[in-house]
Amino acid sequence: MNDWVNILQGYGSVLQDEPLASHTTLGVGGPARWFFRPENQDALCAAMLCIPTGIALLPLGRGSNLLPPDTGFDGVVLDLSNLNHIQVYESTLTAECGVRMSRVSRICADHGLTGLEFMATVPGDVGGGVVMNAGAFGQQVADCLTRIRVVRRDGEVQELQASQLEMSYRHTRLPHGSLVVSAEFTLQQGDGEAVRENIRQMRSRRSLTQPLELPNCGSVFKNPPGDHAARLIEAAGLKGHRIGGASISAKHANFIVNDNEASSGDVLALIRLAQSTVKKQFGVNLEPEVRMLGESA
Ligand SMILES: Cc1cc2nc3c(=O)[nH]c(=O)nc-3n(C[C@H](O)[C@H](O)[C@H](O)COP(=O)(O)OP(=O)(O)OC[C@H]3O[C@@H](n4cnc5c(N)ncnc54)[C@H](O)[C@@H]3O)c2cc1C
């Protein structure tokens, strides 16, 4: 084993050739050469220093917006799920990157804080939510985010104001090679029971319209300006279309579901088919929202 991998083991657990299919909500993706789960933030900073700069890094939240290729990832996947502290002071909530967004919404409800109810319906972590500027039901991370802390490739921690992140629809600009380790949100004071009711309604709308019973990655494409990706894909006649073990959901055309041991290649082929058909029929470019890696990209 490489010297640096031995050192890494002092900062958390290290697995080799770990299948990424077990760490993505789509259930696809080949092996990660190394899969490292740091014990805490300090361990992550120290680990960044000992991983040689030529080794590729992939930060991982819940893998709910990720399409790794069947060939896997030739580098270190950083599983940040142990960084999961959260605290609330008055209207300010601070969460480490590995806190599930559903936990944030629950804690907001407990404290009567409003603004992030949508997080109850998004199955990712705070780090992934910041990077994607996740949002739904008219709310988005950028509305409440005040600042973040990142760890840079040299192991240094840096604090950034939300205004420095150029956040827009499903987009956040981070300094190159840096990882989000925590985020601070400022919320509005509200009524706990009203917040809970809002969450209940959002959840039930979701389960009526989305194929949540099957492995998926949420919306595959961003909505083009003034239109909906689902409408275009359905109008192109692709709803329910299958390639291998994956299909375009018959319930929601902007979802691809893994309903029969799909490969990443099956999902990618459906993405390319939807893009080319919609472009040909309507002249619209569909931009993937799902983060594609390696050959998928
Ligand atoms: C059923 C379902 C419903 C969904 N609904 C919505 C929705 O309503 N709205 C919405 O916006 N999204 C939705 N999504 C997509 C997804 O949940 C969000 O994009 C979420 O923010 C991704 O978080 P994650 O922790 O899973 O990130 P991952 O999928 O693990 O990672 C996403 C990207 O962020 C990077 N990343 C992750 N953590 C960090 C970090 N700490 N620092 C730096 N980079 C990092 C990864 O490398 C990757 O590029 C849905 C997904 C599913 C499966």
Side-chain angles (χ1 to χ4, degrees):
M1 198 183 286
N2 301 330
D3 285 351
W4 64 267
V5 178
N6 279 328
I7 300 171
L8 210 57
Q9 284 174 330
Y11 298 120
S13 64
V14 183
L15 301 172
Q16 288 204 38
D17 298 324
E18 172 68 5
L20 286 173
S22 312
H23 301 276
T24 59
T25 55
L26 256 172
V28 301
R33 180 127 184 236
W34 296 284
F35 189 90
F36 172 55
R37 184 178 294 144
E39 279 164 10
N40 52 40
Q41 241 184 84
D42 289 343
L44 172 65
C45 294
M48 294 290 267
L49 277 175
C50 81
I51 301 172
T53 46
I55 302 283
L57 299 182
L58 173 67
L60 178 73
R62 296 291 155 175
S64 63
N65 201 38
L66 208 54
L67 179 61
D70 294 314
T71 50
F73 181 73
D74 186 14
V76 179
V77 170
L78 297 161
D79 175 346
L80 301 167
S81 54
N82 280 339
L83 279 65
N84 59 9
H85 290 275
I86 185 164
Q87 64 181 48
V88 179
Y89 177 70
E90 296 180 346
S91 301
T92 303
L93 181 148
T94 309
E96 283 191 305
C97 57
V99 172
R100 281 180 186 259
M101 285 192 266
S102 56
R103 191 171 153 215
V104 171
S105 69
R106 204 166 51 242
I107 288 180
C108 285
D110 291 345
H111 288 79
L113 296 172
T114 178
L116 293 175
E117 289 89 330
F118 82 94
M119 284 193 173
T121 66
V122 183
D125 286 347
V126 164
V130 169
V131 171
M132 296 306 305
N133 186 19
F137 301 102
Q139 299 177 333
Q140 59 177 355
V141 165
D143 298 340
C144 299
L145 188 71
T146 38
R147 54 187 167 161
I148 61 170
R149 282 159 75 94
V150 298
V151 172
R152 300 193 316 228
R153 192 64 170 87
D154 61 5
E156 290 298 312
V157 175
Q158 188 181 354
E159 192 167 291
L160 296 163
Q161 301 301 312
S163 55
Q164 295 174 269
L165 305 177
E166 297 173 21
M167 296 175 87
S168 58
Y169 173 51
R170 303 296 171 267
H171 171 81
T172 297
R173 193 163 177 277
L174 291 180
H176 183 67
S178 61
L179 316 179
V180 177
V181 286
S182 65
E184 183 193 276
F185 302 93
T186 303
L187 295 117
Q188 301 292 316
Q189 288 290 345
D191 169 61
E193 197 36 54
V195 173
R196 268 188 207 96
E197 179 54 27
N198 201 7
I199 289 173
R200 269 194 292 274
Q201 285 184 15
M202 287 178 180
R203 282 205 170 118
S204 81
R205 276 168 66 186
R206 275 293 157 97
S207 56
L208 286 175
T209 55
Q210 297 183 351
L212 302 181
E213 62 289 354
L214 291 168
N216 70 78
C217 62
S219 295
V220 174
F221 299 103
K222 295 182 184 181
N223 285 323
D227 210 334
H228 287 95
R231 190 199 72 76
L232 290 161
I233 296 165
E234 187 171 349
L238 291 173
K239 207 172 186 182
H241 191 91
R242 162 172 304 283
I243 295 182
S247 60
I248 293 179
S249 167
K251 196 168 180 182
H252 190 310
N254 198 17
F255 276 59
I256 291 178
V257 292
N258 174 359
D259 52 2
N260 192 13
E261 297 175 21
S263 65
S264 183
D266 297 337
V267 176
L268 182 62
L270 282 173
I271 289 175
R272 297 297 182 225
L273 178 70
Q275 285 178 313
S276 60
T277 313
V278 166
K279 174 74 180 169
K280 204 162 140 194
Q281 293 195 20
F282 308 111
V284 177
N285 290 315
L286 288 180
E287 187 190 338
E289 178 172 326
V290 62
R291 290 288 179 98
M292 306 195 293
L293 297 179
E295 84 211 22
S296 315

